[in-house]
Amino acid sequence: MEESQNGSTVNRRKEILQKLYKNGQVIISELSKEFNVSEVTIRNDLDQLEQKNMLLRARGGAIKLENNVGVDQRISEKNKIHYVEKVAIGKSAAALISENDTMIIDSGTTTAEMVKHMQSFKSLNVITNAMNIVNMLSGYPNINVIIPGGYLRQNSMSLVGPLAEKNLRSFHVDKVFLGVDGFDTRNGIYTPNMEEAYLNEIMIEIANEVIVLADSSKFNKKSLAFICPVNKIHTVVTDAGISAEDKKRLEDLDVKVIIV
């Protein structure tokens, strides 16, 4: 069968998105030959990715959408996008922290903005897999920093893999602060990387409270890897760009929505 010979649909679509991000466009006939599948299969891939707002279909192929959440962007690139909103969200999220909390801070540019407002705390335990956040917290003497280990993903500057997963399961925390790349209020939250998604699932399992930091551009978008459904989330911190429909849908599911 085509699928067994060429890997999973998910992996093929991920590679298509990577090519799209690199070249700006992809051609159906070329993808068909490269992956050794029919052009009908490639058309279906592109149609499905377009439905998830990851690309724009064009005659004979597809072209890239700007700020595509399906593509695993480098953290230095993501930091430039919606920066003003991320600063405000980070400051508001820091107000949700209490003295003596034990928490997980996920990798991401918005969570990093939160860390900038944590220097006044006298006693916190922070578990993080994000090296940029470790570097920031190293300057805060009253915060105990725990690094779960793993191997480094250069794009996100985060540690992932079996070692990180095993070590995280040894903890239980008050709160987890998650950054996301896509948020569909009918389904849940997403990230472009499957290993990070699995690690996020573990973070959610071991936390009493799940807090998602997401600027409004993340809504009505999906990415390759699903993290969790909306009913696992307790609080969302976002900006005023969130639609009334998305806000109501979250609140109807007992999710607290904080708008900065």
Side-chain angles (χ1 to χ4, degrees), residues 98-166:
S98 302
E99 283 289 355
N100 301 309
D101 268 350
T102 295
M103 71 189 76
I104 296 173
I105 302 179
D106 182 32
S107 62
T109 53
T110 311
T111 50
E113 290 300 324
M114 181 186 76
V115 173
K116 294 178 182 179
H117 300 279
M118 292 171 55
Q119 60 265 55
S120 62
F121 286 96
K122 295 179 173 60
S123 178
L124 292 175
N125 295 310
V126 174
I127 303 166
T128 184
N129 65 321
M131 298 311 296
N132 62 321
I133 289 175
V134 170
N135 289 336
M136 295 169 69
L137 291 174
S138 66
Y140 302 169
N142 296 326
I143 296 180
N144 182 36
V145 181
I146 302 164
I147 305 169
Y151 72 87
L152 181 66
R153 288 194 64 244
Q154 293 287 347
N155 277 16
S156 61
M157 291 303 293
S158 61
L159 299 169
V160 296
L163 181 62
E165 294 160 10
K166 178 182 178 181

Side-chain angles (χ1 to χ4, degrees), residues 62-230:
I63 59 177
K64 181 175 70 173
L65 286 174
E66 292 301 317
N67 300 337
N68 187 339
V69 299
V71 174
D72 192 7
Q73 294 175 301
R74 295 186 68 86
I75 196 166
S76 58
E77 296 169 346
K78 291 170 70 174
N79 193 46
K80 303 170 186 175
I81 303 170
H82 303 286
Y83 178 71
V84 173
E85 291 86 352
K86 290 177 180 179
V87 170
I89 290 168
K91 182 177 181 180
S92 181
L96 302 177
I97 301 170
S98 302
E99 283 289 355
N100 301 309
D101 268 350
T102 295
M103 71 189 76
I104 296 173
I105 302 179
D106 182 32
S107 62
T109 53
T110 311
T111 50
E113 290 300 324
M114 181 186 76
V115 173
K116 294 178 182 179
H117 300 279
M118 292 171 55
Q119 60 265 55
S120 62
F121 286 96
K122 295 179 173 60
S123 178
L124 292 175
N125 295 310
V126 174
I127 303 166
T128 184
N129 65 321
M131 298 311 296
N132 62 321
I133 289 175
V134 170
N135 289 336
M136 295 169 69
L137 291 174
S138 66
Y140 302 169
N142 296 326
I143 296 180
N144 182 36
V145 181
I146 302 164
I147 305 169
Y151 72 87
L152 181 66
R153 288 194 64 244
Q154 293 287 347
N155 277 16
S156 61
M157 291 303 293
S158 61
L159 299 169
V160 296
L163 181 62
E165 294 160 10
K166 178 182 178 181
N167 289 339
L168 269 182
R169 290 190 186 279
S170 301
F171 300 104
H172 187 81
V173 301
D174 299 302
K175 297 162 184 168
V176 56
F177 292 88
L178 293 174
V180 299
D181 290 84
F183 200 145
D184 184 330
T185 54
R186 292 180 178 86
N187 296 296
I189 53 177
Y190 296 79
T191 182
N193 184 265
M194 289 178 282
E195 288 177 308
E196 290 211 1
Y198 186 61
L199 201 64
N200 289 158
E201 285 185 58
I202 297 172
M203 293 175 180
I204 290 165
E205 287 175 12
I206 66 173
N208 290 338
E209 184 177 0
V210 178
I211 302 167
V212 174
L213 314 187
D215 68 78
S216 58
S217 73
K218 302 298 195 306
F219 288 90
N220 296 309
K221 292 182 180 179
K222 296 179 182 179
S223 198
L224 284 180
F226 179 74
I227 298 172
C228 77
V230 176

